[in-house]
Amino acid sequence: MNATRRKVLILEDEPSIRNVLYVLLAGLGCDGDIAHDSREALSMIQKDQFDAVLLDLRSAHIPPDQMVSSIAALQPSLVGRVLVITGEVSDPKTLEVLERCAVPHISRSQVASDLWKRMSAILSFGPSPADSSAR
């Protein structure tokens, strides 16, 4: 039995998608905390430790590279642990930024099929920040 559940911050403003993410994360043995916008998400990251962040680009009201760098500055343990949900991003520049910054991303239409695989990979990076801070 896993004594420590992983904690994932969900930045998603659409309730139906948020609910799907929450249920899928629970299936991975994770607890999900919800943020409704970038400011709230960054405030939560500043105050609490997270194992990963699910970031919907439409809910983040700042450019993805700035959001990811802000997350990393506040909580360096989240580098490589941000999964971006791209939705119907048609802007090639945004996708290029994600690729250049090596930020994993999935399409909103593929969340149900790809989230499990992507989050399993992200969360297997190493110990939870909560586990390492307890030592």
Side-chain angles (χ1 to χ4, degrees), residues 83-109:
L83 179 60
V84 172
I85 300 169
T86 58
E88 294 78 38
V89 173
S90 58
D91 177 15
K93 186 184 268 186
T94 299
L95 292 174
E96 178 188 321
V97 167
L98 294 174
E99 294 292 336
R100 187 177 66 241
C101 297
V103 176
H105 56 278
I106 56 175
S107 165
R108 178 182 292 264
S109 63

Side-chain angles (χ1 to χ4, degrees), residues 32-117:
D33 282 2
I34 307 291
H36 298 92
D37 61 36
S38 302
R39 186 176 301 132
E40 182 181 11
L42 293 173
S43 175
M44 291 171 74
I45 290 167
Q46 189 171 21
K47 294 175 188 166
D48 204 355
Q49 289 289 320
F50 291 94
D51 294 295
V53 176
L54 283 177
L55 172 64
D56 181 358
L57 287 183
R58 294 187 313 173
S59 301
H61 298 102
I62 61 175
D65 54 336
Q66 288 179 15
M67 186 66 183
V68 171
S69 64
S70 295
I71 290 170
L74 291 171
Q75 203 171 127
S77 64
L78 288 173
V79 170
R81 293 179 179 230
V82 176
L83 179 60
V84 172
I85 300 169
T86 58
E88 294 78 38
V89 173
S90 58
D91 177 15
K93 186 184 268 186
T94 299
L95 292 174
E96 178 188 321
V97 167
L98 294 174
E99 294 292 336
R100 187 177 66 241
C101 297
V103 176
H105 56 278
I106 56 175
S107 165
R108 178 182 292 264
S109 63
Q110 298 297 312
V111 165
S113 62
D114 290 354
L115 183 70
W116 186 278
K117 175 177 61 174

